[in-house]
DNA sequence: CCCACCTCTGACGTCAGCGTCAAGGCTCAG
DNA sequence: CTGAGCCTTGACGCTGACGTCAGAGGTGGG
């Protein structure tokens, strides 16, 4: 697959794929003219990269941990890194959940307040 | 409270508080010499700002929505904004949860692989 | 009154993950 | 063979949330 195909399939820009290669996250085979060609699983790999970025990992962390995500083989250090990130993500989920719930409370309070004001207006208009 | 106190209590830098003020997220009263003084609830407000940043809101969005978080009063537009962000956060939580679970699967697979290799080594040594 | 410590404004630095532009080369359907 | 549309490298730009530094002034315990 050429770079545009992979980019379209993964929903990112060609620029991103070149950036990933620069960072050591993604490899390609070059044709004689220098054009990049990717294996089929590159698309899935890119999706992993995006997911890990979205989870707050740095490109450095992704570069270190992505190999064992694909190969299933991990050194002790890699396993430790994976677990650390997993824990971080878990904490993040809890924080977000807390924020969401507090936001729900705010929304509910604002709705209540709106209804109160509507009731006030209704009462004053009927008075 | 002076800026350093608030910063320490909220776990951020004074620089951040000045930045928040610049962005319209936080207000202070100035002494005659120009030094900032904050009300007690500034600390909680800063914690809200941090939580909303962590949830991926821009400072612009925070500036728009933070007032009704504190006052409980919201216009229709603000309510819509709050709900939109709430939905975004919810989606983000689901994505993170999915990533975490997939990461768990990877970790489990890597552990299995480690055990297999250990078993292989054990078998070859007994052969 | 002094001195250590806090605070002020203004301005430039940083870092990541790309966007974007320039100037050129490759590909392939017609 | 030609032109539309892909691709290449290199390099600068951008955005947000601050960090950091300089040079100056406020503050309060002893």
């Amino acid at each position: 697959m050429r770079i545009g195909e992979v980019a379209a399939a993964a929903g990112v820009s060609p620029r991103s794929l070149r950036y990933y290669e620069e960072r050591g996250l993604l490899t390609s085979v070059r044709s004689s003219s220098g054009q990049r060609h990717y294996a089929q699983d590159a698309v899935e790999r890119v999706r992993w990269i995006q997911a890990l970025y979205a989870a707050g990992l740095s490109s450095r962390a992704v570069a270190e941990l992505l190999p064992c995500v694909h190969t299933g083989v991990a050194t002790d250090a890699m396993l430790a890194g994976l677990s650390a990130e997993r824990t971080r993500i878990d904490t993040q989920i809890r924080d977000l959940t807390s924020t969401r719930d507090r936001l729900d409370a705010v929304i509910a309070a604002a709705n209540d307040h709106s209804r109160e004001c509507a009731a006030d207006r209704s009462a004053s208009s009927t008075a």
Side-chain angles (χ1 to χ4, degrees), chain A residues 49-65:
Chain A
I49 295 173
Q50 294 280 101
L52 294 178
Y53 274 162
L57 277 78
S58 65
S59 69
R60 180 168 184 72
V62 176
E64 285 172 4
L65 303 179

Side-chain angles (χ1 to χ4, degrees), chain A residues 5-90:
Chain A
E5 292 176 78
V6 177
V12 302
S13 67
R15 176 69 177 93
S16 295
L17 301 186
R18 294 192 195 101
Y19 176 72
Y20 298 161
E21 185 169 327
E22 189 186 325
R23 299 276 95 189
L25 310 181
L26 191 61
T27 54
S28 63
V29 174
R30 299 305 186 93
S31 73
S32 58
S33 64
Q35 303 211 341
R36 291 173 178 82
H37 289 270
Y38 296 89
Q40 296 294 332
D41 67 352
V43 175
E44 199 194 347
R45 195 175 172 98
V46 171
R47 293 219 175 93
W48 260 110
I49 295 173
Q50 294 280 101
L52 294 178
Y53 274 162
L57 277 78
S58 65
S59 69
R60 180 168 184 72
V62 176
E64 285 172 4
L65 303 179
L66 199 53
C68 65
V69 167
H70 258 64
T71 63
V73 182
T75 65
D76 286 358
M78 289 162 85
L79 265 174
L82 285 172
S83 295
E85 295 297 349
R86 189 230 115 94
T87 301
R88 240 191 13 76
I89 294 172
D90 218 45

